[in-house]
Amino acid sequence: KEQVRGLLGGFFDQVEPLDPDGKFYTEDVVGEWMAFARSVILGGNQDTLGERVAEDVLTGILKDNRNTNIGRNYEFHLIHTKEAFEAKVPLSDYDYYAPLVKLTTRVGESDIFCHDKVEGYALTSGTMGVPKRIPYTKEHLKQYVDAFVAVCGNRKGSTLLMLPSLPRDHRFADNTYLDMISGAVLHTVEASLEDNSHAARFKDGKITSPKELLFPDETINPRHLRLLFALLDRELTQIVAPFTWTVFEMFSYLETHHKQIVNDIRNGTISMDEPISDGMRKKLEKRIKPDAARADKLEAIFAEGFDEPVLPKIWPGLERIVAAGTGDFSIYTEKLKRYTGEKVTFHNGYLMGSEAVVARSVAAGNDRYMLVAAGNDRYMLLTNHDYFEFLPLGADAPVQAKDVKAGEEYEIIVTNHAGLYRYRLGDVVRVDDVKDQIPEFTYLRRGHEICEARGITLTVNDMYDAVCALQAQADICDFVMGVNENDDGFLLCLEPSPIGSAYDDMRALSGETLCEAAEAVLGKKVGDYRKARESGSLNPLQVLVLEPETQLLFRDRNMYLWKCMPDQMKPVRVLDDPRKERFFLQFAK
């Protein structure tokens, strides 16, 4: 057994469990896995397997795109090693690509950054300003489709899916197809998304929402509708969303609007408060069958209140929530436990953005449905599709994946098939371990999520630890940080839960009390902060209380401003521009 483990361990540690239905795997994917297995079994050098796979991926990307404008500019045809790639191609960000994207979208130029046909442009969330347009090709989308199938395909029971897609009338601009990357994936697998589970005869692998809701004709806030169709389904086994923020908001909404939703279930109607056209309402109401028995059951559950976990009562078969829940979203993951209890597990799924599927959560056990380890915040880098480098914080030059060091923090750099070369993703991770030259890491934050006052720097992770210390005194569901108006101290704005008397209770606490508890944590974690406070060069932390749901109001404002969907938006963590400062501080006391 030890000999077999030594021979095959590197392979099985890095390949996900195979699904019995082979149609979900392309010839290329199977070929990569078999080549990897062959190199292990037939005596490949185990110390260089990870490096060899990464180099093959990079070589393939450069070869495919050597005749593009960028490829000719940087002489891709002369690059045969990773060292030559690093020497010839500089680091880049979206400012470099923005004018090139305009050429392709407005003028119709092609072969500028990638040789494959650009199928469309994925809109980012716009957290740092106007949403970016990230090009994607069929080859680029394959990795997202594989991830979608791994999470949702052939699953027993049904899935409450919370992936956003732009309305049809917003999907085209400058003669170009635009959508969220999740929308592009949904359209790729649209043919397999048959009738929603409430209307379907067979349950395996079904989605609770009907197609009219997955692919809306208009911009709507879908939370009421998603809950309505999901509550009609008695066999829900998982919830899949981009972030735990989205899931927490939905069940907070359920707590305050359950009577309205139960009434819709009883009568087969839609009575949501958010705007919806008559045409959209009629289409969706055709999908609803009045269910008095289900309404009676739910009414009895909600009558017992929300002080005990309610989700296992609603859906006894609910097993897991698959959503990014670390870094910025840790606070929502913890708050969700009010609704889930201990029975429902949390899975981070895949670390991804519009530019790449970066990593997947560390695998657990032999259960092919338990894709990732419950409660495990570690991700493992995916090396078989895109090429990644890691930029040490404060450094000028990245290092290769095999050279990262445990305990250090890095920004991720990607080179992908859709024409991004040495592109700074802005995601900061902390490396936990390196196995077979494949890094395992924890996602921390976006690179810009820091504040500086009087030469002292605090990250959003530092402030989150302080917020956790305040949870014993106040029911906090969100926060945002910044510097005070004199730039000589830090600012922390706490948002209370919208449920019950949380806002009044938090307002009744003195600012000094909250400040002392938070500063005790900051001083212990950040030595420079403690020294600056002791010397008097830094003023005390200023703590303010936001109106409930301020974050959601800012999100909805941006949603309609940028034509994004609410599921795509991320919370604001740092007041790093005047627009954010004006908005949040007007609701702070």
Side-chain angles (χ1 to χ4, degrees):
K1 289 182 178 179
E2 288 298 324
Q3 289 177 338
V4 172
R5 170 65 190 176
L7 186 64
L8 300 179
F11 174 65
F12 288 114
D13 283 345
Q14 296 182 45
V15 175
E16 297 174 14
L18 285 174
D19 193 294
D21 193 340
K23 71 181 181 182
F24 291 126
Y25 299 94
T26 65
E27 181 179 354
D28 290 342
V29 171
V30 174
E32 290 172 1
W33 288 351
M34 293 309 297
F36 186 21
R38 189 177 297 110
S39 66
V40 175
I41 296 169
L42 299 182
N45 186 344
Q46 189 70 15
D47 293 335
T48 61
L49 277 176
E51 184 177 5
R52 188 184 309 155
V53 171
E55 190 154 346
D56 288 346
V57 168
L58 177 60
T59 299
I61 293 174
L62 297 180
K63 180 180 178 181
D64 291 342
N65 296 296
R66 60 188 175 185
N67 291 323
T68 63
N69 289 60
I70 291 179
R72 290 192 294 270
N73 184 48
Y74 293 115
E75 298 180 315
F76 283 1
H77 65 289
L78 297 179
I79 299 176
H80 302 291
T81 65
K82 289 181 288 187
E83 290 75 17
F85 177 64
E86 295 166 5
K88 281 184 171 290
V89 182
L91 297 182
S92 65
D93 56 25
Y94 191 72
D95 289 341
Y96 173 79
Y97 289 94
L100 304 180
V101 169
K102 286 184 179 180
L103 284 175
T104 61
T105 57
R106 298 185 182 181
V107 182
E109 291 279 356
S110 60
D111 285 337
I112 293 181
F113 34 76
C114 66
H115 175 70
D116 288 349
K117 178 184 176 183
V118 175
E119 299 292 328
Y121 292 82
L123 291 176
T124 63
S125 63
T127 305
M128 297 179 63
V130 178
K132 304 178 182 68
R133 298 184 179 191
I134 304 299
Y136 63 82
T137 63
K138 287 184 178 179
E139 176 66 26
H140 182 66
L141 280 182
K142 280 169 53 179
Q143 57 187 326
Y144 297 91
V145 174
D146 289 344
F148 178 86
V149 170
V151 173
C152 298
N154 280 356
R155 182 172 178 79
K156 292 181 180 179
S158 49
T159 297
L160 169 52
L161 186 64
M162 304 175 68
L163 298 184
S165 180
L166 283 180
R168 288 184 176 88
D169 60 342
H170 294 326
R171 289 183 191 142
F172 292 91
D174 301 327
N175 301 312
T176 301
Y177 185 85
L178 302 174
D179 209 338
M180 314 304 171
I181 194 70
S182 55
V185 172
L186 287 179
H187 280 279
T188 302
V189 299
E190 183 173 359
S192 64
L193 298 175
E194 299 176 358
D195 287 343
N196 65 298
S197 62
H198 177 54
R201 180 180 176 186
F202 302 106
K203 293 285 185 177
D204 285 0
K206 294 297 179 181
I207 307 300
T208 58
S209 297
K211 283 188 177 182
E212 291 86 350
L213 186 53
L214 291 173
F215 308 102
D217 289 328
E218 59 193 66
T219 301
I220 56 173
N221 190 325
R223 61 187 176 185
H224 183 104
L225 297 168
R226 283 175 175 162
L227 278 168
L228 174 58
F229 284 100
L231 289 171
L232 280 164
D233 192 315
R234 295 164 171 81
E235 300 183 23
L236 188 73
T237 58
Q238 71 169 353
I239 298 170
V240 177
F243 319 115
T244 50
W245 184 27
T246 314
V247 186
F248 174 65
E249 184 219 346
M250 185 173 67
F251 289 116
S252 296
Y253 178 87
L254 176 64
E255 187 167 355
T256 56
H257 291 76
H258 57 83
K259 291 182 180 179
Q260 189 177 11
I261 299 174
V262 169
N263 185 65
D264 283 343
I265 291 173
R266 188 180 302 280
N267 299 319
T269 56
I270 293 174
S271 60
M272 57 191 285
D273 297 332
E274 294 87 353
I276 181 174
S277 70
D278 289 340
M280 183 77 168
R281 186 190 306 274
K282 289 178 181 178
K283 283 183 181 180
L284 291 171
E285 285 182 344
K286 288 181 180 179
R287 292 284 197 169
I288 303 172
K289 298 176 182 178
D291 193 335
R294 182 62 171 165
D296 290 341
K297 176 67 174 178
L298 293 171
E299 198 169 61
I301 291 173
F302 296 138
E304 297 174 355
F306 286 75
D307 291 332
E308 295 183 359
V310 71
L311 297 194
K313 299 178 183 179
I314 298 172
W315 300 292
L318 180 61
E319 298 174 351
R320 67 181 187 176
I321 295 174
V322 182
T326 63
D328 288 354
F329 308 106
S330 297
I331 190 169
Y332 314 114
T333 306
E334 291 301 315
K335 302 299 286 188
L336 261 174
K337 293 177 182 178
R338 163 180 168 81
Y339 303 106
T340 65
E342 298 300 322
K343 181 181 178 181
V344 181
T345 56
F346 291 88
H347 302 266
N348 288 307
Y350 288 83
L351 177 62
M352 63 175 70
S354 301
E355 302 87 352
V357 179
V358 178
R360 66 173 176 85
S361 292
V362 176
N366 296 318
D367 184 352
R368 69 188 179 94
Y369 292 122
M370 300 302 287
L371 177 69
V372 293
N376 190 338
D377 287 345
R378 282 192 184 186
Y379 289 98
M380 184 180 75
L381 184 70
L382 294 175
T383 60
N384 65 343
H385 195 275
D386 296 324
Y387 177 70
F388 295 99
E389 300 169 83
F390 290 78
L391 179 64
L393 295 191
D396 297 325
V399 298
Q400 296 172 17
K402 68 182 182 65
D403 295 323
V404 299
K405 297 180 180 179
E408 298 295 321
E409 296 182 6
Y410 299 86
E411 179 186 348
I412 299 177
I413 312 296
V414 65
T415 296
N416 70 15
H417 287 270
L420 301 181
Y421 306 100
R422 308 197 80 195
Y423 184 91
R424 300 183 65 163
L425 286 179
D427 292 329
V428 175
V429 300
R430 182 188 62 244
V431 173
D432 300 303
D433 199 358
V434 181
K435 296 180 179 179
D436 296 323
Q437 299 187 334
I438 306 296
E440 292 185 1
F441 49 76
T442 300
Y443 174 81
L444 296 179
R445 63 185 182 276
R446 296 285 292 167
H448 68 278
E449 291 178 332
I450 60 174
C451 281
E452 185 175 337
R454 294 294 173 91
I456 306 301
T457 298
L458 293 181
T459 71
V460 68
N461 306 100
D462 298 328
M463 197 62 80
Y464 174 65
D465 289 343
V467 170
C468 289
L470 301 178
Q471 289 282 12
Q473 303 178 54
D475 186 3
I476 304 167
C477 77
D478 225 318
F479 72 97
V480 63
M481 62 186 289
V483 296
N484 64 26
E485 58 183 357
N486 297 320
D487 294 333
D488 58 3
F490 292 94
L491 175 68
L492 173 61
C493 299
L494 302 174
E495 182 180 310
S497 168
I499 309 299
S501 61
Y503 178 67
D504 293 334
D505 294 343
M506 192 181 297
R507 287 292 308 279
L509 294 171
S510 68
E512 290 79 9
T513 300
L514 294 172
C515 173
E516 289 175 3
E519 287 210 316
V521 175
L522 294 174
K524 184 177 181 180
K525 184 176 181 181
V526 185
D528 290 342
Y529 182 90
R530 182 183 66 253
K531 294 176 183 177
R533 289 287 296 115
E534 290 173 349
S535 68
S537 62
L538 191 70
N539 276 336
L541 177 71
Q542 183 181 3
V543 181
L544 300 175
V545 179
L546 291 167
E547 295 278 352
E549 298 190 336
T550 301
Q551 283 274 13
L552 294 181
L553 184 61
F554 185 80
R555 180 207 66 183
D556 290 347
R557 175 184 178 276
N558 279 3
M559 178 182 74
Y560 288 104
L561 181 63
W562 305 124
K563 303 301 182 186
C564 293
M565 298 298 286
D567 307 333
Q568 175 78 0
M569 307 299 289
K570 299 176 183 177
V572 172
R573 282 287 172 255
V574 180
L575 302 179
D576 51 8
D577 67 51
R579 177 177 59 98
K580 295 176 185 176
E581 285 184 0
R582 286 193 300 269
F583 185 92
F584 279 90
L585 294 184
Q586 69 179 317
F587 297 104
K589 297 182 180 178

